[in-house]
Amino acid sequence: MNTTPGNITPDIPQLDPMRLQARKHALLNEISTKPSRRWWRFAVPATTLVAAVAATLVLWTPTNPNAYASWTAEPRAPGDLAPVLADCGKRLDQHDVDRGVNGPDWPAPREVSVVDWRGDMTMVLYTGPQSESLCMRTPKGVAMSDHGNVKGREPLGDRLFADFAPQMGMTDVHTGSSVQFLTGRVSPKVGKVVIGTQDGLKVTATVDNGWVVAWWPSLGKPEHVELYDEAGGVLQTAPIPVRVR
């Protein structure tokens, strides 16, 4: 150890260049042989005031060019919800296990408010007094997007519709294929919601218990919503504000 008055400098061991190079190649080989599961990237606005946690999910493999062939603009008839709730429930249970340690410090919501059956994905919106969770289940697995601190969210009031912040999207990092999501609240007067996207899609959302959920395979963000009553009468066409990312 080298010492001078008032200063102590430890000797720094010198690494063998040959050993360092061998270790570098070993690490690269190890990384290259591990199967990648990070095929999808979630995107949420950076400016949102709502805390959000999103997990990666292998929805479909990049080698499947017809990944969205089963998608429909209209939600399909409900199926057997038991296996979906079982898989989503495991993620909620893990949320509570990790709460305040490896995860956010709010309890997982447990009330099923709306279920959207569409293509190969089933989405379940869980709500609670402190948080909401959107569970997304496909044949490849389950992902959860959690939103906490919802007590501070502006009430719906006299409005017919209000979307949530953040508006969430998901992109395949290999192919660039994207999925967009919309979740929100609607007045009891609203019986049907049709979403118009920036790239011209018309997507009928699932509405239940005053909540609305939909997804579509596109880069187009939600641009406006068409709101109808139970009899099919037009109530309103409302623009959706663009969120700054």
Side-chain angles (χ1 to χ4, degrees), residues 3 6 46 66 102 110 129 140 143 146 192 206 215 237-238:
T3 60
N66 299 314
N102 299 315
R110 298 289 176 166
K140 294 294 184 180
D146 303 318
K192 181 179 179 180
T206 299
W215 73 274
T237 297

Side-chain angles (χ1 to χ4, degrees), residues 50 62 73 82 116 125 127 130 143 166 171 196 201:
V50 180
D116 182 84
L125 179 64
T127 62
Q130 298 184 41
T171 300
L201 289 179

Side-chain angles (χ1 to χ4, degrees), residues 145-189:
S145 174
D146 303 318
H147 308 284
N149 304 327
V150 299
K151 287 184 177 180
R153 179 178 290 154
E154 182 181 359
L156 184 62
D158 294 332
R159 292 177 294 173
L160 295 177
F161 166 83
D163 68 320
F164 286 161
Q167 293 168 1
M168 188 174 68
M170 194 162 51
T171 300
D172 186 319
V173 297
H174 290 281
T175 68
S177 300
S178 293
V179 178
Q180 307 299 322
F181 302 89
L182 183 141
T183 58
R185 297 162 291 165
V186 290
S187 164
K189 300 176 182 178

Side-chain angles (χ1 to χ4, degrees), residues 5-229:
N7 182 37
I8 299 176
T9 304
D11 291 330
I12 300 176
Q14 297 299 311
L15 296 177
D16 184 343
M18 295 299 293
R19 293 183 61 189
L20 184 61
Q21 189 69 10
R23 181 56 179 159
K24 174 183 175 181
H25 284 292
L27 287 173
L28 289 175
N29 289 334
E30 181 180 0
I31 293 172
S32 65
T33 56
K34 289 183 177 180
S36 173
R37 293 184 58 86
R38 299 191 62 183
W39 288 337
W40 289 86
R41 179 178 65 249
F42 283 85
V44 296
T47 57
T48 179
L49 298 179
V50 180
V53 177
T56 55
L57 167 68
V58 181
L59 292 178
W60 298 280
T61 66
T63 56
N64 179 7
N66 299 314
Y68 306 122
S70 63
W71 180 83
T72 57
E74 295 275 346
R76 64 180 174 86
D80 183 7
L81 192 56
V84 178
L85 295 182
D87 288 344
C88 291
K90 293 176 183 177
R91 296 299 297 268
L92 295 174
D93 291 342
Q94 189 60 50
H95 171 111
D96 284 339
V97 169
D98 294 338
R99 179 183 172 191
V101 180
N102 299 315
D105 191 19
W106 63 71
R110 298 289 176 166
E111 181 179 350
V112 176
S113 291
V114 58
V115 180
D116 182 84
W117 302 83
R118 196 185 308 263
D120 288 336
M121 189 191 304
T122 302
M123 297 198 302
V124 182
L125 179 64
Y126 292 86
T127 62
Q130 298 184 41
S131 62
E132 286 113 20
S133 291
L134 182 63
C135 179
M136 295 155 281
R137 181 182 184 269
T138 78
K140 294 294 184 180
V142 177
M144 192 81 71
S145 174
D146 303 318
H147 308 284
N149 304 327
V150 299
K151 287 184 177 180
R153 179 178 290 154
E154 182 181 359
L156 184 62
D158 294 332
R159 292 177 294 173
L160 295 177
F161 166 83
D163 68 320
F164 286 161
Q167 293 168 1
M168 188 174 68
M170 194 162 51
T171 300
D172 186 319
V173 297
H174 290 281
T175 68
S177 300
S178 293
V179 178
Q180 307 299 322
F181 302 89
L182 183 141
T183 58
R185 297 162 291 165
V186 290
S187 164
K189 300 176 182 178
V190 177
K192 181 179 179 180
V193 176
V194 177
I195 303 162
T197 71
Q198 293 172 341
D199 54 355
L201 289 179
K202 293 286 188 179
V203 183
T204 300
T206 299
V207 177
D208 199 7
N209 297 313
W211 303 87
V212 56
V213 167
W215 73 274
W216 56 95
S218 167
L219 283 169
K221 305 299 180 186
E223 190 172 57
H224 67 273
V225 289
E226 300 165 5
L227 307 176
Y228 301 85
D229 60 23

